[in-house]
Every structure is written in C-alpha cells, then in structure tokens.
Amino acid sequence: MKSPSATLLSVVCTVIVACVIAVMAFGVLGSMTAESRRVQDLSDIADKTHALHVLTASFMEASAPREVRQIQQILHSLDSMLLSVSPRAPSEAVLLEQLRRSFLRVGPLINQWAEPATGGIEGERRNIIAAQIWMKLQFISDDIQRLKNISQARIVMAQKKTAVIVVALIIVLAVTNGLIYWLSVRSIVRVQRTLRERDERVTAELQELVQRRTAKLQETIGELESFSYSIVHDMRAPLRSMQSFAQLLAEECGPLSPTATKYVERIMNGARRMDRLIQDVLSYSKVVRSEFPREKIDVGQLLRGILDSYQQFQAPHAEIRLEGGFPVVLANEAALTQCISNLLGNAVKFVAPGVTPQVRVWAETNELRLRLLFQDNGIGIEKVAHKKIFQIFQRLSKSYEGTGIGLAIVERAVRRMGGSVDLESEPGKGSTFWLELALASEERPAPVIDQSEPQQSHQPVEEEARR
Amino acid sequence: MNKSMDLILCVEDDEDDAFILERAFVRAGIANPLVVVPGGKEAIEYLSGTGAYAGRALHPLPALVLLDLNMPGVSGLDVLKWIRATPNTATLVVIVLTSSSQDSDVNRAYIIGANGYLVKPTDLDGVTVMARAIKDYWLSQNRCPDWTQSAAANASNASPSPPGFGERGPG
C-alpha cells in the first residue's frame, strides 16, 4: 500500500530536518557561548585597564616606586590576557595587535616617567610622557570597548539566528505534522473508499450470483414441474386401458366364471388405487408450489358447507357434531377446505370395523389465534408415529385404503398459511387433531385475493386433480 | 344437424385410447361415423385430402375434430395451427381431448383456436359420460359452421388470414 510508506517517509524527513535544525541551533548556541566568554574576557581586560588607569594616576601624583612594579605586573598580565583572546576576523587581529603594542609601549613610558626628574626641562618631558600615557590608556580603553561591541553585536546576531532557527523549527514541525496528519487522513479516506468499493463490488457480485442461481433454480423447478406433470399424465393413459378393458371384459365378453370376475375386479381396483395415488400426488405438488393468499374466512360456514357436500360426513355414515361458535380466521379458503376435508375424512375413515364414526369439532381461541379441534372415536395413533404421519407416503395401516398423502397436504397447506397442525392420540382412545390459524382482527384488512390463482377444487384429496 | 355425413374425426396415437373412445361412443349411442387417424401428419393428410386420404367422396371433411395433444412428430397443437391457417378448415369445430390438465396446455390450445378442451377420464364409465356430453352438446345443441359456405366465402374474400372463429354458416 502506498499511503503508509508515504507517512513513514514524511516522518523520516521530519526527523532529519529536526536533527539538522537542532545541530544548527547547537552550533549557534556554541558560538554564542564562546562569544559571551570573549565578552567576559574583554570585560576583565577593561577592568584591569581601568585599574591600571587608576594606579597610574595615583602613581603619577605620589611617584611611588612600589606602584611602578605593580603597574608593570598588571601590564604583564594584561599582555597574557590579550594573547589568550583569539581573533575571529582579520580586523580583530589587527585591533588586538594594536592593543598589545599599546600596552607594550605603556610599560617603557611609565619607566621613563618614573626616572627621577632633573631640572625644569625634565619636568616638561615628564608631562609630555604622562600625556602620552593617558592617551595610550584612553586608546586602549576605546579599543577594548570596540572589541566588546563587536562581540556583543555577534551575540545579538546569534540570538537573532537562534530565534529564526526556533521559529523555523516550529514551522517545519507544524508543517510536517500537518503533512503527516493530512497524509494519514487521506490514506484513511482512501482505505475507507477502497473498502467501500470492495464491499460494493462483493455485494454486486453476490447479488448477481443470487440472481443467477435463482434463475437456474426456477428453471430447474419449472423443468421438474413439467417433467412430473407429463409423467403423471402419461401414467394415466395405461391406467385408462387397464381399467377400461377390464370393464369391457366383464361387461361385453359373455358371462365370466366367478374367479375371472374376481380377477377382473382386482384389476379394476388396482387401477382405481393407482389413479387416486396419481391424483393425490398432483394435489400435493400443487400445495407445495402454490401461493396461498389469505382472506377472512368464516370457519363455521366453511365447516357446514363441507359437511353438506359429502355423504360420508353425514348420517348414517358418520356423526359429526359442531360444538359452539366458530370465529373468522385469516386463511386461504381452498387450502383450508382441503385441510378440514382431509382431517374429517381421516376421522371417519380410521375407525374399528363396525363402529360408527363420531367426530366432535370445536374451536378454542386466544387473542390472536384459533385452535380448531377434531376429536374422533377412531383407532388412535401410537405416540412414536405422531411426527411420521405428516410425512408424504407414510401409512400406518394396510387395512385402510389410502395413499399416505392426505396429512402431508394438511401439514404443508396449513404451514403455507402461517398456521400449524398437531395431534393428541393413543391407540384405542381415539385421536384429537387440531389446526392453529391466525384470527382475522377487525383492524387488519384482509389481503387481496389473487385472481390469477387457479380455482382450486373444494374436494377431499381424492377429487382434487380430477379436471 | 345430425346427418349421416357429419362424421367425427378422432386424432389419437394411442390405439387403446382410440378403441376405448369408440366403445364409449357406441355406449353413448352416437351414430355418427367415427374416423380415427393415428397421428398429426395423418390428420393433416385427411383434412387436406392428400396421401392415403385422397378423394373427398371417400374421406369427407368432418363436422367435429377430437384432437389429442401429445403425439410424436406433428403434435396436436401443430395440427390445430394448420387447421386454423387453412381456409377450407379454418372454421372446423376442434375439441382438444387429451390427458394433460396443465394450465399452459389449456391456455395455448385456446389461444391457437380450440373450441373446447376435454381431459380424458381414466375409466370407461367416465369416457362414456364424456361421449354422451359431446353428443348432447356438440352434435345436438351446437350449430356448426357449414364448411362449404365458409370456404366459398373465403375464396371470394381472398383474405390470407383465417376467418373469425365465431362465424356462423347458414345451416
């Protein structure tokens, strides 16, 4: 990645620039220290020169020889002090040399002056010498002052330089910090953008993949559907032959022996069973793939309609009692009719031989859901089989005719309507099946019924696919 | 209506189904002659009076066509398309008689111009009930167009497109 290396580079640059500036600052500070030391030295020299001045003045008044020695000592030390001051420029060297020479001259002049005076002319000469000494000392003081001024100017200069360097350092640090900040912000933004772009790309790829797969899946489902349809319909043609020719044999080929009649009947029964199986498979596949738009349904009305439609649910074939009131639910009418028909059909079918089926139907509700219960006096179902019976092609007994699809249809259909089905049963004690469905509340408008939905038959499973 | 020349053409590739249909027609008391052709190609030959079916006197145009859909080679829908695109047969009453109850087949058949769509029942009694219904409705109640008139009208009209299906003959 580019951005982190750029940041690193800028950090390194900052450090280098800071080091260079620091070295420069040290250099300036060093020269400043040296300069101030010189100023100190020069001040010392100036002080000594002043002392010399004073001493010389008192000596000239008192003419004390002890002071001459002291003056010579001072001059000597001044000379060595001047020697220790190193010149920093040629002009300075000249000045220092001049200074030394002046001092060197002061010594003999003092000695000359100190010689005992003889006569008036001698007094005159001493006065001239004194004047010369004063002048020299004055020049010396001036020169030292000039040297001090030069050094002080240098110190001011160095101070200015230091200030400039510090300001430059601050500016450089501020700029590089800003640069680093800007770079890192930019790199963060860039990283964010890259991530976002990658996110978008991945999302787009995923969407495309999902679309492609969905399309493929739909294609496969469509193929499977038409495949199963054609298989089912092709299966019905030989069935028609079996059934019809058996019937023709029985009815048009003269009186058959009782055995032959029995066989022919078996052929026809087999064909009928096969036909029912095919129709049940068709209606199961319809339940699996159909949409079930929900609407408001009066369960009581629906139940009475179903009971009226089928002889098998009426006396003397069965006693079915509707107990209490029934609410309005949200369901699909065709699917709910199928569920109820199948449950009632099972309730009246699975009874012990010779027993009249008795079925009790009632509703229990809470705030949101209806439980519609069907209690029968049938043969009952073992607990271990309770889950199994809702799977397709599961039959518990061979003594009862059936295809093992009815409850599978109930389970799928009720689940597709957002409900559930369950049971309580024990062998010999009958069964209670119940459907759970959402109640239709007044606030909730019933969804629009899909008109494109093909009209479904309100018949029990056996009748469903006969079109 | 129920003249002896009003024959019924059955296009059916399954011999058993054709036989069962014939038996059911007999049981339903349908006296009209029933001609069975074993495929789409033969159906077109019969209706155009060519091949094995040359000679209109021997093989007159039917009053009613019972058409199976799933046939190898020329399918029932192909035959129906041909019938509707051919001036002489454009107004023939064609009833699809098939084992397919697929919505797509039903819709396509009606779009192409079927006059009815019947699904074959699976037992002889069912087929007999259906044959009786055909007799009662298509052969007794329904008025079929007179193909000779409609053909003449087509010839004078010189219109290449097939005439409307609701067109009625004078008969």
Side-chain angles (χ1 to χ4, degrees):
Chain A
M1 260 217 202
K2 229 174 171 180
S3 314
S5 68
T7 314
L8 193 70
L9 193 72
S10 65
V11 168
V12 168
C13 285
T14 313
V15 169
I16 289 169
V17 167
C19 286
V20 168
I21 289 173
V23 166
M24 277 164 68
F26 273 121
V28 171
L29 283 174
S31 73
M32 227 162 86
T33 331
E35 215 65 56
S36 53
R37 204 180 300 126
R38 263 160 67 90
V39 170
Q40 191 57 52
D41 288 350
L42 288 168
S43 297
D44 288 351
I45 293 169
D47 288 347
K48 271 235 155 71
T49 315
H50 184 68
L52 183 73
H53 220 130
V54 173
L55 220 63
T56 310
S58 66
F59 158 69
M60 282 182 176
E61 270 169 35
S63 301
R66 190 176 50 88
E67 279 166 351
V68 172
R69 211 169 51 243
Q70 212 172 350
I71 287 169
Q72 293 301 344
Q73 263 175 14
I74 287 172
L75 281 170
H76 187 71
S77 69
L78 270 172
D79 189 45
S80 63
M81 273 165 92
L82 277 171
L83 273 173
S84 75
V85 174
S86 54
R88 296 205 135 215
S91 60
E92 239 181 284
V94 172
L95 211 60
L96 278 170
E97 192 51 43
Q98 225 174 331
L99 211 56
R100 268 191 76 210
R101 265 210 303 272
S102 303
F103 276 123
L104 288 176
R105 275 221 206 102
V106 169
L109 279 174
I110 297 258
N111 283 341
Q112 256 184 346
W113 193 80
E115 281 170 19
T118 48
I121 298 159
E122 199 58 26
E124 203 55 31
R125 201 177 61 91
R126 281 184 76 187
N127 280 345
I128 291 168
I129 289 170
Q132 277 179 334
I133 288 170
W134 290 130
M135 231 161 70
K136 287 269 184 262
L137 284 175
Q138 191 57 49
F139 285 156
I140 285 167
S141 292
D142 287 353
D143 284 348
I144 287 170
Q145 193 55 48
R146 267 160 70 198
L147 277 169
K148 266 172 85 176
N149 284 350
I150 289 169
S151 279
Q152 255 152 2
R154 282 220 186 94
I155 286 172
V156 170
M157 193 75 157
Q159 277 170 344
K160 277 183 186 165
K161 265 190 198 165
T162 312
V164 166
I165 285 167
V166 165
V167 167
L169 192 65
I170 288 169
I171 289 172
V172 165
L173 284 176
V175 165
T176 44
N177 273 334
L179 199 70
I180 288 167
Y181 178 73
W182 180 69
L183 278 174
S184 52
V185 163
R186 209 179 56 160
S187 68
I188 286 169
V189 165
R190 197 181 296 155
V191 166
Q192 278 176 342
R193 199 174 53 213
T194 319
L195 281 176
R196 203 173 52 234
E197 278 168 5
R198 207 180 55 185
D199 262 15
E200 282 166 4
R201 205 178 54 238
V202 167
T203 310
E205 277 170 6
L206 266 178
Q207 274 175 345
E208 204 200 311
L209 191 71
V210 167
Q211 276 172 358
R212 239 186 3 245
R213 293 233 169 118
T214 309
K216 205 172 164 191
L217 205 61
Q218 276 167 347
E219 201 181 307
T220 312
I221 288 171
E223 275 171 12
L224 277 175
E225 266 176 24
S226 61
F227 178 69
S228 64
Y229 253 102
S230 60
I231 281 187
V232 165
H233 290 297
D234 288 351
M235 275 162 80
R236 295 184 81 183
L239 206 58
R240 189 162 40 245
S241 300
M242 275 168 67
Q243 203 282 334
S244 303
F245 283 102
Q247 195 181 348
L248 284 173
L249 197 63
E251 292 176 7
E252 295 186 4
C253 297
L256 297 178
S257 70
T259 317
T261 310
K262 215 161 73 190
Y263 288 172
V264 165
E265 256 167 33
R266 284 202 172 186
I267 293 172
M268 284 163 68
N269 279 340
R272 249 197 301 276
R273 246 195 351 260
M274 181 79 181
D275 190 34
R276 186 143 70 226
L277 187 62
I278 289 170
Q279 282 164 1
D280 284 2
V281 169
L282 271 181
S283 53
Y284 178 77
S285 72
K286 201 165 192 171
V287 166
V288 167
R289 70 197 157 84
S290 290
E291 292 295 321
F292 291 130
R294 295 195 295 176
E295 57 201 300
K296 285 180 184 173
I297 292 170
D298 185 334
V299 176
Q301 213 175 339
L302 192 74
L303 275 167
R304 281 185 290 274
I306 292 169
L307 295 189
D308 285 347
S309 306
Y310 300 102
Q311 279 198 340
Q312 59 191 22
F313 297 153
Q314 293 161 12
H317 306 285
E319 288 171 25
I320 298 181
R321 289 203 313 276
L322 305 183
E323 294 181 358
F326 295 94
V328 176
V329 292
L330 265 188
N332 178 273
E333 192 178 343
L336 185 56
T337 307
Q338 179 112 63
C339 292
I340 292 174
S341 307
N342 287 6
L343 288 180
L344 283 176
N346 282 347
V348 302
K349 186 163 81 174
F350 294 103
V351 287
V355 174
T356 305
Q358 289 175 325
V359 186
R360 216 160 65 84
V361 184
W362 74 102
E364 289 171 3
T365 56
N366 65 12
E367 280 171 15
L368 294 170
R369 294 176 85 75
L370 157 78
R371 185 178 274 198
L372 186 62
L373 300 100
F374 304 81
Q375 188 186 50
D376 62 43
N377 62 338
I379 52 171
I381 301 161
E382 277 183 274
K383 196 118 194 143
V384 287
H386 283 194
K387 286 279 169 260
K388 206 171 123 185
I389 53 170
F390 293 110
Q391 293 168 12
I392 191 168
F393 297 131
Q394 291 296 335
R395 295 177 61 200
L396 299 182
S397 166
K398 292 243 183 267
S399 359
Y400 296 88
E401 221 182 302
T403 55
I405 299 178
L407 283 176
I409 289 178
V410 172
E411 199 269 337
R412 300 302 186 281
V414 81
R415 194 146 48 93
R416 297 289 299 275
M417 290 188 288
S420 60
V421 59
D422 209 346
L423 76 151
E424 235 169 49
S425 181
E426 266 180 63
K429 293 188 177 172
S431 309
T432 305
F433 280 81
W434 60 83
L435 297 173
E436 271 195 22
L437 290 163
L439 284 172
S441 67
E442 289 310 306
E443 301 80 22
R444 224 175 344 186
V448 179
I449 303 157
D450 187 3
Q451 293 294 335
S452 67
E453 186 65 18
Q455 194 63 45
Q456 295 202 3
S457 163
H458 298 177
Q459 311 262 317
V461 174
E462 288 88 333
E463 308 293 324
E464 162 62 15
R466 184 169 294 170
R467 288 207 292 156
Chain B
M1 267 319 274
N2 209 351
K3 293 171 282 184
S4 63
M5 67 165 287
D6 285 350
L7 72 81
I8 298 167
L9 179 69
C10 174
V11 187
E12 175 59 75
D13 64 322
D14 188 319
E15 270 179 52
D16 285 358
D17 276 1
F19 183 78
I20 291 163
L21 192 69
E22 278 182 71
R23 297 304 308 169
F25 269 41
V26 171
R27 288 185 167 214
I30 298 173
N32 301 50
L34 178 70
V35 175
V36 178
V37 291
K41 185 169 152 283
E42 290 82 357
I44 291 173
E45 279 178 1
Y46 184 97
L47 290 172
S48 58
T50 55
Y53 305 100
R56 201 41 101 203
L58 273 175
H59 307 287
L61 276 179
L64 185 66
V65 177
L66 297 174
L67 184 62
D68 191 12
L69 288 187
N70 299 319
M71 293 182 293
V74 181
S75 77
L77 290 176
D78 294 334
V79 174
L80 185 56
K81 268 183 225 162
W82 181 89
I83 289 174
R84 293 305 178 222
T86 308
N88 273 355
T89 58
T91 61
L92 260 182
V93 175
V94 178
I95 297 163
V96 171
L97 178 59
T98 177
S99 53
S100 165
S101 60
Q102 260 190 95
D103 294 337
S104 59
D105 280 343
V106 179
N107 294 350
R108 254 188 302 171
Y110 274 104
I111 286 167
I112 295 172
N115 298 85
Y117 193 105
L118 300 173
V119 178
K120 288 176 191 168
T122 40
D123 59 353
L124 184 60
D125 289 343
V127 181
T128 310
V129 167
M130 189 196 73
R132 209 169 283 134
I134 290 174
K135 179 192 168 197
D136 289 345
Y137 180 74
W138 293 105
L139 301 177
S140 307
Q141 305 283 331
N142 188 53
R143 289 170 70 97
C144 296
D146 187 328
W147 55 268
T148 46
Q149 292 294 313
S150 87
N154 265 304
S156 64
N157 209 354
S159 164
S161 60
F165 306 137
E167 197 174 313
R168 279 163 183 257

